[in-house]
Amino acid sequence: MSEKITIALKRGASCVGCDIAVVNFNEALFTLLSLADIVFSPTLLDVKYDDLRAMPSQSITIGFYHGAVRNSDNEEMAKVMRDKCQILIAYGACAHMGGIPGLANVTNKQAILEQVYRNTLSTNNEDHVFPQERYVDQAGHELTLPEFWDEVKALDDVVDVDYYVPACPPTHDINMQILNMVKLFVEEGKPLPPKGTVIASEKNLCDECQREKSDHLSVEQFFRVHEKVFDPDKCFLEQGLICMGPATRAGCGAVCPGANMPCRGCMGPTAVVSEQGASMLSALASIYQISDKENELAEEQIERIMSQITDPLGCFYRFSLPKSELGRVVKDTKTPVKEKKGKE
Ligand code: SF4
Ligand code: SF4
Ligand code: SF4
């Protein structure tokens, strides 16, 4: 193969950081553009959704979808992308695992709308007007909004996905890995990796972290970042600061520990586990107050660890809640209904 391929970028429930990550190809963007034409990208080009809908099925070589899937519009456009693209990539932590928007799965649609449109201190909404999916004005004009879901999903919960690119957002190095893959595919016809591959390292983040580590790790107590002065060269975990490194896939270059910030786990679970939070809890239990007699994961040990960690769910599953075994942890939240019911 030597002809140029085509690329489309589409966002779902996204902060648009993943679009910026594409811009961060920097000068390599010219290499990418010598290999591929970008035929659809609402951020980079003046295009409309109908332009994508009008393209023939399977006419785009590679589609990048970033952001989670949290409403009917996200789902519809994910399906359009799947139809138009020969290869569909879940790009970034939100498309890969639900990401930060996925933390909304601890509550539900009604509770979120109540909070945003009624209870937030800065909200001035005396008539309690809530967003409606369909509104018809007196002249008969109909306006519609996408259906806002109870549940946030990852891309592969709604469509078939070929490859996953982790991180929030994908780093320059990971983008260069994708570029190299595309280059070899276009110029030499080299086959792409097997379907389902996570385009990153197979190793664990601690393997690429440059901080000093002891052979026998033992932690007496866990701290929050403001509770102690930490040695800037030593492993965070060894000093009692939660760092998701042991439960996180490598590939980002351990940029956060390198910048004196503990890892928050945006690369997702390592290649050998699927449950990032449970893997981290297991790692903590194996280093917590180790003595010769106590080196197994006991229930009491877990309780002691959890009592020292603020927001364990948000800490261990910050980027992966929708793909975890916990899934939607709150299915039937009973939101207290205020006496004065608004227009809905
Ligand atoms: S992965 Fe991160 S940067 Fe990308 S859309 Fe999600 S929150 Fe934004
Ligand atoms: S736990 Fe964090 S700081 Fe320690 S080696 Fe692993 S990534 Fe580095
Ligand atoms: S160090 Fe952790 S939080 Fe930072 S980019 Fe890498 S995986 Fe993400």
Side-chain angles (χ1 to χ4, degrees), residues 70-85:
R70 81 110 58 246
N71 65 33
S72 56
D73 177 66
N74 300 154
E75 181 186 38
E76 188 207 336
M77 293 314 290
K79 287 179 176 170
V80 173
M81 282 286 279
R82 179 66 277 180
D83 175 46
K84 308 298 177 189
C85 302

Side-chain angles (χ1 to χ4, degrees), residues 9-255:
L9 299 114
K10 175 75 187 78
R11 58 174 174 262
S14 161
C15 76
V16 194
C18 281
D19 269 328
I20 304 304
V22 173
V23 176
N24 279 346
F25 266 66
N26 299 335
E27 66 275 10
L29 203 49
F30 293 113
T31 310
L32 179 67
L33 293 175
S34 72
L35 301 166
D37 287 327
I38 299 177
V39 293
F40 184 84
S41 167
T43 305
L44 302 176
L45 308 171
D46 182 15
V47 286
K48 302 287 179 279
Y49 288 180
D50 281 345
D51 297 331
L52 182 63
R53 286 192 182 98
M55 291 179 191
S57 192
Q58 300 293 289
S59 61
I60 301 167
T61 320
I62 304 178
F64 291 80
Y65 185 101
H66 62 87
V69 184
R70 81 110 58 246
N71 65 33
S72 56
D73 177 66
N74 300 154
E75 181 186 38
E76 188 207 336
M77 293 314 290
K79 287 179 176 170
V80 173
M81 282 286 279
R82 179 66 277 180
D83 175 46
K84 308 298 177 189
C85 302
Q86 294 158 30
I87 296 161
L88 184 62
I89 297 181
Y91 185 76
C94 295
H96 176 205
M97 302 176 298
I100 294 286
L103 287 172
N105 284 4
V106 298
T107 182
N108 62 16
K109 167 182 170 175
Q110 188 189 356
I112 292 170
L113 293 180
E114 289 277 351
Q115 185 66 25
V116 174
Y117 290 93
R118 186 178 289 188
N119 298 335
T120 308
L121 276 178
S122 59
T123 301
N124 181 2
N125 183 10
E126 289 178 3
D127 293 333
H128 298 150
V129 177
F130 278 52
Q132 301 164 61
E133 283 154 27
R134 181 174 174 274
Y135 176 77
V136 182
D137 71 13
Q138 289 177 342
H141 302 123
E142 183 183 2
L143 295 172
T144 57
L145 281 177
E147 181 192 349
F148 184 72
W149 290 350
D150 258 337
E151 185 178 1
V152 177
K153 298 180 182 183
L155 184 61
D156 68 1
D157 288 326
V158 296
V159 292
D160 193 34
V161 168
D162 296 296
Y163 301 110
Y164 301 87
V165 177
C168 175
T171 61
H172 183 72
D173 285 352
I174 294 174
N175 283 339
M176 291 309 100
Q177 210 175 324
I178 300 170
L179 181 62
N180 194 40
M181 190 179 91
V182 171
K183 195 170 183 330
L184 292 172
F185 173 67
V186 174
E187 291 181 345
E188 299 174 23
K190 185 177 176 190
L192 294 169
K195 182 173 171 169
T197 297
V198 177
I199 301 170
S201 170
E202 294 288 296
K203 292 183 178 172
N204 164 302
L205 192 81
C206 295
D207 292 337
E208 64 181 3
C209 176
Q210 298 299 310
R211 287 182 167 253
E212 295 164 17
K213 300 151 236 177
S214 303
D215 289 340
H216 301 288
L217 199 54
S218 177
V219 176
E220 295 298 314
Q221 190 185 344
F222 294 109
F223 300 92
R224 298 188 74 187
V225 72
H226 61 276
E227 290 176 333
K228 189 178 149 181
V229 176
F230 296 93
D231 185 319
D233 298 319
K234 282 192 177 158
C235 167
F236 283 122
L237 211 46
E238 207 169 310
Q239 302 177 72
L241 185 60
I242 302 292
C243 176
M244 288 289 288
T248 300
R249 184 186 285 269
C252 64
V255 283

